[in-house]
Amino acid sequence: MAKEKGTKETAKKNQTGDDPPRGGFSSQKKSPKLCGTNYPLSIAFIVVNEFCERFSYYGMKAVLTLYFLNFLHWDDNLSTTIYHAFSGLCYFTPVIGALIADTWLGKFKTIIYLSIVYVIGHVIKSVGAIPTVGNQVVHVVLSMLGLALIALGTGGIKPCVAAFGGDQFEEEHAKERSKFFSVFYLAINAGSLISTFVTPVLRGDVKCFGGDCYALAFGVPAALMVIALVVFIAGSGMYKKTPPRGNILLEVCQCIAFAITNRLKNHSKRIPKREHWLDWASEKYSKQLIQEIKMVTRVLFLFIPLPMFWALFDQQGSRWTLQATQMNADFGGVVFKPDQMQFLNPLLILIFIPIFDLGVYPLIDMCRFNFTPIRKMTTGMILAGLAFAAAAIVEIKINETSMPLPVPKESFIQVLNLANDSVHVKIQGQDLFQQPIGAFQDPAEYSKLMLNGAQQNLDFELQSQGSVSTFYHIMQEKSVYSLIVYKSEGNLSSHLIADMETKPEKGLTAVRFINALDQDVNVTIGREEIISVNKNYSVSKYTTLERGKYNVQCKTEATEVTLDLGLLDFGASYTIVITNTSANTIEAWKTEDIMANNVHIAWQLPQYLLISAGEVMFSITGLAFSYSQAPVSMKSVLQAGWLLTVAFGNVIVLIVAQAALLEQWAEFVLFACLLFAVCIIFSIMGYFYISVDPEDLTKKEDEKEMPSNGNVISLVPQKTKL
C-alpha cells in the first residue's frame, strides 16, 4: 500500500509552497485544538474518514476476483482483465478529481459530492451481488455500473483528502502537520490490513442465498463508506476551507501543447533555433513556469519504465489470489481464505518501513556504499521480479498435483474393483494392469489409454478365480474414466463411468456416490442436500462442497445409518462406495480420484515478502526522489504522473491476460523477464540522470540573459491569439 504515500507526500510538500488563492481568500477560522495540543480537532474526523474509506475500498477489492470467478462465472482471464481495468480506472480518475477540486468546487465540496457517488456505487455493487435480484445480465450490468461509480469516487477524492487535512494546520505548526501525515498513512494501512482480512471471512464463513455471501462482503464496505461520509460531514463546522486555486496540471498541459503547436507552425530554417523545445511557449507563458515544467519533464521521463513494476505489484489481488485457490490453506485447524492472503502486503509494509529506515539503510551507509534513490528503485524492481519468479516455481509445484489433461487420441482410465476377489484386467491393444487388482484396492493413479481415433470400441477381459468375462466399452478421446468391476448374480460384470477431468474450482472438494446395495438409497450431506442413488452400482453426479470433515445420512427402505466420510480436502475429488459388510451392516469406502492440493499456501509467503520489500524500496523512494527534483508548485503534477504509472501498469496486465494466453507459470516468468528488462533500461536512464536542486537551477536560469526580441520578430506570422 506504499503507493498511497503519494497522496501524503503531495499534500505535505504543497503546504509550504502553494500560491495564494486566485480571486478569493481562504477562511482563517481557528479550529478547536485536540486535547490541548497544536493539532486541530478537525483532523480527527479526516483520519477516521480515511480509515473507513480505505477499509471500504480494499475490503471490496479483496473479494472482487473471486466474485467475478464464482458468482458471475467468468473464467480466470476475463476476471483478471476486469479486475485490472477497474484498478487502472481508479488511478486515472484522480486527475478528474484534482481538476474538479482546483478549478470548480474546492477540496471540501469535491470530497462530499464524490463520496456520495462512491456510496451509490457501493450500494449498486452490493445489490448486484444478491442472487435473487434479476438474472445474469442484471448482475453484470449492476456490477459494472457500481464499479465505475466506485472508481470515480475513490479516485476523485484521492488527491483531495490528504491535502485537505494539511490545510487545517497553521503555518507555524509544520512539525505537527508532518506527524499528521504519518498518522494519516497509518490509517490507510490499518484500514487496508483489517479489511483484507475481514471481508474474505464475511464472504466465505457467512452463508446466504445458499452460497458464499458476496452481498454481505460488499455490503459491509458500503456501510463503512457511509460512516466515512457521515464522519466527514460531522466535522464540517471545524474545517478550514480554501477556495479553488486553479489547476496547475491543466496549465502545464496547455503550456506543453502550445510549445508543440508553436514549434510546428514555425519550422522554417530562417527562424533561429531555441535551446529547449519548451522555449517555444515563451510567447504566451512566463519564463518561470517554462523552467519549472522543464524540471518536471526530466522526472516524468524517468517515470516511463515504471508502469511495469505496478503491472506485477497489482496482481496480488488477481493472479496470486487465483493461485491461492489451488493450494492447501489449513494452518493447524485454522483455514485461511484464498483472498485473505492479500492482508500480508499491508502488514509487511508496516513492518518493513521502520526496518528499512532504521536498520537496512543505515547499515548500507555504514558500508560507505552510495545507495542512491535510483539504485534503491532498481533494487525494488529486482525484488518484484524475483517475487514473480518465486510465484512461477509455486505454480509449477501446484501443477504437479493437477489432473493431466489427455491429448487427442488419448484417454485416462482407472479400475475400481468392487468384487470380493482380485481381478485381472486386460484391455485390447493396451499394455496396462500387469498385476491383479485387489478387492476394494485404492487405485494409485490413472493409466493412459492410446486410441486409434476420436473414439474406439475396446474389449475388456476380466479374469477372476478361473472365470473369464469379456465386455465392450466405447472410449472417447480426451476423457477420463473409471471402470467399475462388480459381481452380479455370481458373475463378473462392469460398466464405464466418466470422471471429473479437472480439479474442483476455488479450492472446493467434489464427491460422488456409488450404491453397491440391492436397494435405492438417499444420501444427505452438507447443507441438507439429498442425493438419490439407485441400487445395483448406480452412480450419482458430483457434488461440490467446502473442505471439511463430513458425516452423511444414508437412508434405505429398511434402515437409516450415519457414515463417517472423514476429511474431504482442498481441490480433491472422491468416489464414495456405499456397500454392505460381512456383518450385513452398511459402510462407506472412499477413494481419491484427483489428488488434493498438497502445496501449502504458506509457500506464497516468500513472494509476498519480496514484493512488499520491493514496494518499500521502489514506491516510497521513488516518490521522495521525484519530489526532490521538482519545484514546490509542481508537486501535484508529479503526483498525477505517479498515479498514472499505476494506471498504465494495470493496462499492461489486462493486455497480457487477453493476448498472451500462456500457462500461468509461463505468464509469471514473462512478467518477471519484462520487469528485469525494464529494470536494465531504467538503470541506464538513471545512470545518465543528473540530480539537481530545483531552487539552485531556478537561480542559475534567472542569471541568464533574457532572450532577444529578435527571435520573436523573426517568427513567421500566424493567426494565433497569444
Side-chain angles (χ1 to χ4, degrees):
M1 306 306 161
K3 59 186 171 187
E4 299 290 347
K5 189 174 179 180
T7 307
K8 175 182 100 169
E9 294 286 354
T10 302
K12 185 192 302 186
K13 301 286 185 180
N14 280 344
Q15 297 312 310
T16 58
D18 280 345
D19 295 331
R22 301 174 186 174
F25 299 92
S26 62
S27 171
Q28 299 300 318
K29 179 178 180 179
K30 294 283 186 178
S31 174
K33 301 300 180 182
L34 193 62
C35 301
T37 65
N38 290 325
Y39 295 95
L41 182 59
S42 56
I43 66 169
F45 295 89
I46 295 173
V47 169
V48 173
N49 165 269
E50 183 66 12
F51 170 82
C52 294
E53 189 275 326
R54 291 291 85 186
F55 186 110
S56 169
Y57 174 73
Y58 284 110
M60 177 276 303
K61 196 177 177 185
V63 300
L64 195 56
T65 298
L66 295 187
Y67 171 76
F68 293 151
L69 191 69
N70 302 323
F71 188 89
L72 298 183
H73 304 294
W74 292 345
D75 61 26
D76 289 2
N77 287 335
L78 181 57
S79 300
T80 299
T81 298
I82 301 301
Y83 176 90
H84 287 283
F86 167 71
S87 298
L89 188 59
C90 289
Y91 286 92
F92 278 117
T93 51
V95 176
I96 299 174
L99 288 172
I100 293 173
D102 291 345
T103 61
W104 182 23
L105 296 177
K107 298 184 187 75
F108 175 74
K109 289 183 178 179
T110 300
I111 294 171
I112 294 292
Y113 294 153
L114 290 184
S115 292
I116 294 173
V117 173
Y118 201 163
V119 169
I120 294 172
H122 267 303
V123 172
I124 293 174
K125 186 77 188 69
S126 302
V127 172
I130 299 175
T132 56
V133 176
N135 55 20
Q136 176 76 359
V137 175
V138 173
H139 293 151
V140 172
V141 170
L142 290 177
S143 297
M144 295 304 100
L145 177 59
L147 288 176
L149 294 177
I150 290 171
L152 177 60
T154 187
I157 68 175
K158 192 184 293 289
C160 302
V161 178
F164 185 71
D167 289 344
Q168 308 309 305
F169 290 84
E170 306 295 335
E171 287 303 322
E172 61 268 21
H173 298 148
K175 183 178 179 181
E176 288 81 2
R177 181 169 55 211
S178 178
K179 290 182 178 179
F180 157 74
F181 287 115
S182 296
V183 175
F184 187 86
Y185 188 49
L186 178 64
I188 290 173
N189 283 277
S192 170
L193 174 64
I194 296 172
S195 64
T196 51
F197 188 84
V198 170
T199 52
V201 174
L202 297 176
R203 171 196 62 78
D205 289 352
V206 179
K207 302 300 178 182
C208 61
F209 305 104
D212 286 354
C213 200
Y214 287 100
L216 180 64
F218 291 137
V220 170
L224 264 292
M225 192 58 220
V226 172
I227 294 172
L229 177 59
V230 170
V231 168
F232 187 77
I233 294 175
S236 176
M238 305 178 192
Y239 297 140
K240 183 166 66 173
K241 305 164 189 173
T242 57
R245 305 181 176 190
N247 189 270
I248 186 65
L249 176 61
L250 182 61
E251 192 172 5
V252 168
C253 294
Q254 291 172 339
C255 179
I256 292 174
F258 181 81
I260 294 172
T261 54
N262 198 26
R263 177 67 185 93
L264 294 175
K265 291 176 181 178
N266 297 279
H267 57 275
S268 173
K269 294 182 179 179
R270 295 183 291 110
I271 301 174
K273 294 182 178 180
R274 301 190 181 181
E275 183 178 349
H276 194 280
W277 63 271
L278 277 168
D279 292 332
W280 289 93
S282 59
E283 285 79 17
K284 184 175 181 180
Y285 295 93
S286 68
K287 181 183 176 184
Q288 179 182 356
L289 177 64
I290 293 172
Q291 181 57 30
E292 289 176 347
I293 295 175
K294 288 179 183 179
M295 300 178 199
V296 168
T297 53
R298 295 176 69 248
V299 181
L300 291 179
F301 180 71
L302 279 180
F303 281 5
I304 293 175
L306 303 190
M308 201 65 231
F309 175 87
W310 299 118
L312 276 69
F313 178 84
D314 275 345
Q315 290 187 59
Q316 295 174 73
S318 57
R319 293 303 200 195
W320 286 13
T321 297
L322 294 174
Q323 183 185 71
T325 63
Q326 306 172 66
M327 304 178 77
N328 186 339
D330 186 358
F331 286 86
V334 177
V335 179
F336 268 58
K337 304 291 184 292
D339 37 2
Q340 258 181 323
M341 291 299 289
Q342 298 173 63
F343 94 99
L344 285 174
N345 178 251
L347 176 64
L348 291 171
I349 289 298
L350 293 174
I351 295 172
F352 280 160
I353 287 177
I355 289 176
F356 275 80
D357 287 344
L358 304 177
V360 176
Y361 294 152
L363 284 175
I364 294 175
D365 290 340
M366 289 173 62
C367 296
R368 297 187 178 181
F369 177 73
N370 186 18
F371 205 30
T372 63
I374 296 291
R375 290 173 178 171
K376 289 179 183 178
M377 294 176 68
T378 303
T379 305
M381 288 182 173
I382 293 173
L383 291 175
L386 292 175
F388 265 64
I393 294 173
V394 171
E395 191 69 24
I396 291 172
K397 298 301 292 183
I398 289 172
N399 289 343
E400 292 178 0
T401 69
S402 299
M403 184 73 183
L405 295 176
V407 298
K409 297 185 179 182
E410 179 181 290
S411 291
F412 291 130
I413 190 170
Q414 67 175 358
V415 176
L416 301 180
N417 180 11
L418 307 185
N420 294 326
D421 304 305
S422 296
V423 175
H424 198 286
V425 179
K426 291 183 179 180
I427 306 176
Q428 171 192 351
Q430 309 289 330
D431 188 20
L432 303 175
F433 309 118
Q434 299 297 319
Q435 299 298 323
I437 300 170
F440 291 90
Q441 176 181 319
D442 195 352
E445 59 185 10
Y446 282 89
S447 299
K448 185 185 296 184
L449 277 174
M450 304 305 297
L451 309 179
N452 58 17
Q455 69 177 30
Q456 185 176 352
N457 191 10
L458 297 176
D459 65 338
F460 290 74
E461 185 180 280
L462 308 180
Q463 300 179 12
S464 177
Q465 294 183 335
S467 64
V468 178
S469 301
T470 302
F471 302 91
Y472 293 91
H473 298 292
I474 297 176
M475 311 290 293
Q476 301 286 342
E477 66 177 357
K478 298 191 292 186
S479 300
V480 182
Y481 297 100
S482 287
L483 178 69
I484 302 175
V485 179
Y486 57 95
K487 281 194 173 181
S488 176
E489 298 179 354
N491 297 317
L492 285 177
S493 186
S494 71
H495 66 265
L496 198 66
I497 58 174
D499 291 359
M500 182 174 281
E501 298 176 4
T502 59
K503 280 181 171 289
E505 295 181 346
K506 59 182 180 179
L508 296 176
T509 186
V511 62
R512 65 179 175 182
F513 295 90
I514 298 177
N515 181 9
L517 305 177
D518 58 1
Q519 50 188 323
D520 297 343
V521 63
N522 289 328
V523 180
T524 304
I525 186 172
R527 296 182 297 273
E528 301 301 321
E529 184 170 356
I530 300 176
I531 303 169
S532 296
V533 191
N534 294 332
K535 60 185 177 180
N536 298 330
Y537 299 94
S538 295
V539 183
S540 71
K541 294 181 179 179
Y542 280 101
T543 299
T544 54
L545 304 165
E546 296 280 351
R547 181 254 194 190
K549 293 183 178 180
Y550 285 89
N551 293 320
V552 296
Q553 299 291 327
C554 293
K555 185 177 181 181
T556 66
E557 294 179 355
T559 185
E560 181 175 350
V561 296
T562 300
L563 302 178
D564 182 12
L565 301 186
L567 177 65
L568 304 182
D569 214 347
F570 295 106
S573 74
Y574 298 92
T575 296
I576 309 295
V577 180
I578 303 172
T579 185
N580 282 318
T581 65
S582 57
N584 205 29
T585 59
I586 296 177
E587 68 173 5
W589 176 68
K590 179 176 71 174
T591 179
E592 186 179 65
D593 300 330
I594 297 179
M595 189 187 304
N597 300 343
N598 61 8
V599 179
H600 200 275
I601 202 170
W603 284 108
Q604 281 196 323
L605 183 58
Q607 62 204 57
Y608 274 99
L609 285 168
L610 288 167
I611 200 81
S612 299
E615 182 189 7
V616 171
M617 301 189 76
F618 177 87
S619 181
I620 298 176
T621 303
L623 281 164
F625 168 73
S626 59
Y627 289 151
S628 71
Q629 299 298 293
V632 173
S633 61
M634 293 290 162
K635 304 302 181 186
S636 60
V637 178
L638 283 176
Q639 171 66 5
W642 184 265
L643 294 177
L644 287 176
T645 65
V646 183
F648 284 113
N650 282 276
V651 172
I652 292 172
V653 181
L654 66 90
I655 291 174
V656 172
Q658 287 296 310
L661 301 178
L662 301 170
E663 288 189 49
Q664 191 54 66
W665 69 268
E667 186 179 291
F668 285 151
V669 172
L670 172 64
F671 274 110
C673 292
L674 287 174
L675 185 58
F676 287 142
V678 166
C679 180
I680 294 172
I681 295 171
F682 179 72
S683 300
I684 296 172
M685 294 170 63
Y687 178 80
F688 291 102
Y689 181 86
I690 301 174
S691 297
V692 297
D693 185 334
E695 294 184 3
D696 292 343
L697 199 58
T698 302
K699 290 178 182 177
K700 290 180 182 178
E701 286 294 324
D702 290 341
E703 292 172 0
K704 291 184 179 180
E705 288 186 333
M706 295 289 290
S708 65
N709 290 336
N711 288 347
V712 178
I713 295 174
S714 63
L715 290 176
V716 176
Q718 301 287 344
K719 295 180 180 180
T720 304
K721 190 173 182 179
L722 301 181

